[in-house]
Amino acid sequence: MNFWEYLGSRHQQLLVDAYQHASAVFQCMVAATVIGVLIGVVTYRSEWAGNLATTATSTILTVPSLAMIGLLVPVVGLGVPPTVIALTLYGLLPVVRNAIVGLRGVDPSLVDAAEGIGMSRVTRLARVELPLAWPPILTGIRVSTQMLMGIAAIAAYASGPGLGNEIFRGIASLGSRNALNQVLAGTLGIIVLALLFDAAYVLLGRLTIPRGIRV
């Protein structure tokens, strides 16, 4: 059976796996974005706090993804929980780093002007600082998403959802007729999803970032 015949015979399962893969990455990126931006907001005014946040989230990335999931399985079990926790943790660094850089890069005169017209600290943050810091934050989200697309494949090790199951099935049956087709289908599926997500982020940037401040 050639690759195209394999896709035709397995397209329904592949679509389910692709949907689960995309859904897991999307949900974890939402969580990582919220947590990462909050960390950035709390730490960007202090040099040592910002460095600590960046160092802590950098350290997480030094843990191999297979080891991370393996360590989580005894605590939270198999399936979705270790996948969600691992992906969310791995997605933090680019968001935290870019949120800190973006917020520190806001022109102080704009903040002073907002304060001068009576805006509260929270209002200044929501209406002036975060909108101006959004371009680098979005860049961090894009980088995180690309990383998580590949890392999510490892979730199949712990019975997690996604296209990694296709890859692991192929690896487990090396030498069989469809082993290469399974690995290739899972790998190409992840690449296609990564490109689609990135295209969506480009469109989101065009819709949400004024032309004058696009980076």
Side-chain angles (χ1 to χ4, degrees):
M1 183 182 296
N2 65 38
F3 180 64
W4 301 111
E5 290 174 343
Y6 177 79
L7 289 183
S9 65
R10 295 277 297 172
H11 70 278
Q12 288 186 333
Q13 182 60 50
L14 288 170
L15 287 174
V16 170
D17 286 341
Y19 170 77
Q20 292 178 341
H21 198 101
S23 177
V25 170
F26 175 76
Q27 292 178 62
C28 292
M29 270 315 307
V30 170
T33 298
V34 172
I35 296 170
V37 171
L38 285 175
I39 293 173
V41 167
V42 170
T43 61
Y44 82 98
R45 287 177 171 270
S46 168
E47 188 70 28
W48 73 266
N51 290 339
L52 178 62
T54 302
T55 301
T57 50
S58 297
T59 302
I60 293 172
L61 282 181
T62 66
V63 181
S65 52
L66 195 59
M68 172 75 79
I69 293 175
L71 291 171
L72 289 170
V73 167
V75 180
V76 298
L78 295 169
V80 174
T83 302
V84 170
I85 295 171
L87 291 184
T88 301
L89 290 175
Y90 281 125
L92 286 176
L93 174 60
V95 179
V96 170
R97 182 177 57 201
N98 283 34
I100 292 172
V101 170
L103 289 166
R104 286 178 177 173
V106 174
D107 189 341
S109 64
L110 296 176
V111 179
D112 291 340
E115 185 177 6
I117 63 174
M119 285 189 181
S120 67
R121 172 76 182 91
V122 174
T123 305
R124 292 198 306 273
L125 184 66
R127 299 184 62 179
V128 178
E129 295 176 87
L130 282 175
L132 290 173
W134 173 238
I137 291 173
L138 181 58
T139 299
I141 294 171
R142 289 177 66 182
V143 171
S144 284
T145 302
Q146 299 304 304
M147 288 195 311
L148 296 195
M149 277 295 170
I151 295 173
I154 306 299
Y157 171 75
S159 301
L163 289 163
N165 290 294
E166 194 73 13
I167 296 173
F168 271 74
R169 281 194 294 266
I171 293 173
S173 60
L174 284 177
S176 67
R177 184 175 60 173
N178 286 320
L180 182 58
N181 289 333
Q182 289 174 314
V183 174
L184 189 58
T187 302
L188 290 178
I190 291 171
I191 293 172
V192 170
L193 286 178
L195 292 174
L196 290 174
F197 266 75
D198 203 56
Y201 287 134
V202 171
L203 178 59
L204 178 63
R206 291 187 177 276
L207 293 175
T208 59
I209 301 173
R211 183 173 300 178
I213 63 171
R214 286 180 190 166
V215 294

